[in-house]
Amino acid sequence: MIKLIKSVIGILFVGLLMFPAVAKADGGGVTLKGNFQTDALVGQIDSVIGANEYNGPFVSNSYLDLSLASQYVTAGARLELLHCPLPGFEDAFAGGGLPNVYVTGKYKWFEATVGNVYDQFGSGFIFRAYEDRPLGVDNSLRGARIVLTPYKGIRLKALGGMQRKYFNYGMDNAFGFDYSQGAVMGADLELNINEWSKAMQDGGYNLLLGASYVSKYDPEELIQPSPMYKLNLPQFVGAGDVRVRFQKGGWNALVEYAYKANDPSADNGYIYKPGQVAMVSLAYSQRGMSFIVQAKRSENMSFRSDRTGSGIGGFINHMPAFSMTHTYALAAMYPYATQYGTAPTESNPHAARGEWAFQAEARYTFKRKTPMGGKYGTSFRLNGTYIRGIKADPVAVNATGTLQGTNGYTSPFFGMSDETYYLDVHLEFAKKITKTFSMTALYMFQQYNQTVVQGEPEIHDFKGAKPGDIVNSHIAIAELKYKPSKNIGMRGELQYLFTRQDRGQWVYALYEISLFQQAMIEVSDLYNIDATKQHYYKVAASYNWGTHRVQLSYGRTRAGYNCSGGVCRYVPASKGLALSYSVSF
């Protein structure tokens, strides 16, 4: 702990010495910004890392971000303390250190960063380094990045470094580069063609061409399918991405394709089949109306800096989900996790090699003072998602009796399996009835393949439910908002989920009141009608004062999955007192 604090102070001290000179040279000033966030839980937790070591069921995640900025230079660091992290964070997340340290310099068309880098190429099919704290994702690169914009319409990025795998670099080598665990290098080029054509600019046309290349270095390891054989593993694995985006008025079209060379790993069962993903998207938007249709096919696109890695850490790329991220409790009870492509096993023979995903959404708002719009207007949203497996025919096993070291399977591009992974169709209706009262109603039908998305599902004591059943659910939601004055607001939710699979039926109710745009009180209860007959209640209060925010809550949390963008982590059940505090300065 003392070493961590000294290191943060040291970074700031060096920055304070450096920045006045830079500011004086460029005539600008120096700005210090920071943010502190801590989330803690005290109570009964089904599974918690380090509970015995720390003499009690107390867990917490704390972050301190600091940055110094002048006209041409920005520097920053983040201190993390997760010695006993919140429920659901993977074991390797326990620890503390400076996982983020960087210095960025900008001058005209040149930008360079040394330290930790976050970035994304295209849709992220071959590279996305980002942070998502609620999920426990932070896969930044510690190395360097250069961004060049030498001429209008041209943007070139090149980067490289070691990917963060939790706290695999601590204070002893916080400023060093350790490539023994693998490294990632890449470049991305984007050309805005319309910047070179006056005719396109006058016509309102936008055309973007993009291309990316990423290579990972993974040291050779001994992987033996049998005592007589070992795998010849590639130390360098490359991946490329090309894309075209066209915009005109309210129209927006995107076509993108990515290819990954053979990358035998624990995820795909050490097969040598290349991976690929193709996506097309068409959208239209104008005032009061919009729609989007998308299709994506992906297979064997797990791309990690460590071929033996598992869990949600260590991914170089990101595969966006076509399923909608729901915010209502029961609509989000069965979230979909993107299927990158994994190897079937005896315990999970239905593991997905990839997926076909389709999504469409239409929104329409009836104008005010029309028969459907009424006095304040009426909005409708219809969304549909359908995801199923790709057709995969295994090749003949090798001399070891396994698929390791082979191409694994064959798969025609347009071939689909007979297995549905996820289906979601929902209709949402929103209307402002008076100046102070509005409502939203939603109906959703969902099909959820637990065996594919979650692995072997749990067995629940509910008549008719069997492990492996696809969960068919009907969900109805009503949300009411009432704001009698600018200082008082009230919101209530009633939700009902009906299914004959898994745990059966659920109901959920919530009531919250906000006061003077600073304080909020919330009471909610989630109840399982059929299998467990368990209440998951919550009472919470929060208060905002300037840049300070504090929230205190007590309740019971059910076991389930927390998902964002197709990435999910399992959160065990817990019960107790939770405290959250954040401040910016």
Side-chain angles (χ1 to χ4, degrees), residues 439-501:
M439 67 170 294
T440 300
L442 182 144
Y443 166 76
M444 183 169 85
F445 172 71
Q446 185 184 62
Q447 288 187 332
Y448 184 80
N449 192 323
Q450 285 184 299
T451 304
V452 170
V453 180
Q454 298 180 4
E456 190 66 25
E458 301 176 11
I459 299 176
H460 301 289
D461 186 16
F462 175 54
K463 184 178 181 181
K466 302 186 297 296
D469 282 349
I470 290 181
V471 179
N472 297 289
S473 59
H474 299 268
I475 303 168
I477 298 171
E479 179 184 10
L480 305 175
K481 294 181 180 179
Y482 178 58
K483 191 172 180 62
S485 70
K486 66 177 183 179
N487 292 324
I488 299 177
M490 288 173 274
R491 186 173 73 91
E493 293 180 13
L494 290 174
Q495 304 180 33
Y496 172 66
L497 183 151
F498 173 82
T499 180
R500 296 185 184 279
Q501 293 80 39

Side-chain angles (χ1 to χ4, degrees), residues 104-122:
T104 299
K106 296 181 181 180
Y107 185 74
K108 294 183 178 180
W109 51 269
F110 176 83
E111 176 185 324
T113 299
V114 177
N116 287 80
V117 175
Y118 295 100
D119 211 325
Q120 177 172 320
F121 295 168

Side-chain angles (χ1 to χ4, degrees), residues 52-64:
N52 295 328
E53 179 183 354
Y54 288 89
N55 300 319
F58 174 81
V59 294
S60 67
N61 293 5
S62 297
Y63 309 86
L64 174 63

Side-chain angles (χ1 to χ4, degrees), residues 345-403:
T345 61
E346 290 185 6
S347 62
N348 187 16
H350 297 277
R353 292 295 193 180
E355 64 182 31
W356 267 103
F358 305 91
Q359 186 178 44
E361 179 175 288
R363 296 171 181 258
Y364 190 82
T365 299
F366 291 94
K367 295 180 180 180
R368 299 171 59 182
K369 299 180 181 179
T370 61
M372 289 295 294
K375 186 175 181 179
Y376 296 99
T378 305
S379 298
F380 287 89
R381 178 168 62 88
L382 178 64
N383 182 283
T385 297
Y386 180 53
I387 304 174
R388 65 187 301 176
I390 63 172
K391 181 177 175 57
D393 298 316
V395 300
V397 297
N398 56 26
T400 68
T402 71
L403 294 176

Side-chain angles (χ1 to χ4, degrees), residues 148-161:
L148 305 176
T149 53
Y151 187 72
K152 63 179 182 179
I154 300 177
R155 184 179 180 88
L156 174 65
K157 294 186 285 189
L159 50 80

Side-chain angles (χ1 to χ4, degrees), residues 114-332:
V114 177
N116 287 80
V117 175
Y118 295 100
D119 211 325
Q120 177 172 320
F121 295 168
S123 298
F125 291 154
I126 64 171
F127 180 75
R128 186 189 185 196
Y130 72 110
E131 181 193 15
D132 190 325
R133 289 183 188 177
L135 278 182
V137 174
D138 188 343
N139 59 347
S140 64
L141 293 185
R142 176 161 292 181
R145 177 186 63 184
I146 295 176
V147 181
L148 305 176
T149 53
Y151 187 72
K152 63 179 182 179
I154 300 177
R155 184 179 180 88
L156 174 65
K157 294 186 285 189
L159 50 80
M162 183 185 73
Q163 186 181 51
R164 180 191 179 188
K165 300 191 213 43
Y166 310 106
F167 286 103
N168 65 344
Y169 44 76
M171 290 312 308
D172 293 337
N173 62 336
F175 300 98
F177 299 95
D178 179 10
Y179 292 105
S180 64
Q181 300 184 44
V184 178
M185 300 147 283
D188 177 72
L189 175 65
E190 288 190 340
L191 305 176
N192 284 283
I193 306 301
N194 50 284
E195 292 286 340
W196 310 333
S197 170
K198 188 176 185 305
M200 294 183 68
Q201 294 175 24
D202 293 341
Y205 295 95
N206 291 282
L207 178 62
L208 182 143
L209 306 179
S212 310
Y213 180 78
V214 174
S215 177
K216 74 163 182 174
Y217 166 72
D218 204 352
E220 188 175 0
E221 297 177 76
L222 180 62
I223 305 295
Q224 292 183 283
S226 74
M228 299 291 294
Y229 299 91
K230 74 170 186 175
L231 297 180
N232 183 18
L233 300 171
Q235 295 187 48
F236 290 91
V237 176
D241 176 279
V242 292
R243 56 196 179 273
V244 179
R245 182 184 293 276
F246 176 79
Q247 292 176 283
K248 165 63 176 173
W251 292 94
N252 189 325
L254 172 67
V255 178
E256 188 166 357
Y257 176 79
Y259 177 89
K260 177 174 67 76
N262 65 86
D263 181 23
S265 66
D267 282 336
N268 64 18
Y270 295 100
I271 64 173
Y272 284 71
K273 185 178 178 64
Q276 60 180 328
V277 55
M279 181 181 76
V280 294
S281 175
L282 178 65
Y284 178 76
S285 177
Q286 68 174 27
R287 185 175 181 181
M289 183 184 72
S290 66
F291 75 83
I292 183 171
V293 290
Q294 297 177 301
K296 179 185 70 176
R297 182 196 186 273
S298 61
E299 65 168 315
N300 195 25
M301 280 302 292
S302 173
F303 195 23
R304 297 181 189 262
S305 54
D306 179 4
R307 65 172 66 91
T308 62
S310 61
I312 62 176
F315 277 103
I316 300 171
N317 65 335
H318 173 75
M319 299 296 291
F322 275 16
S323 58
M324 183 176 175
T325 300
H326 292 282
T327 57
Y328 292 111
L330 294 185

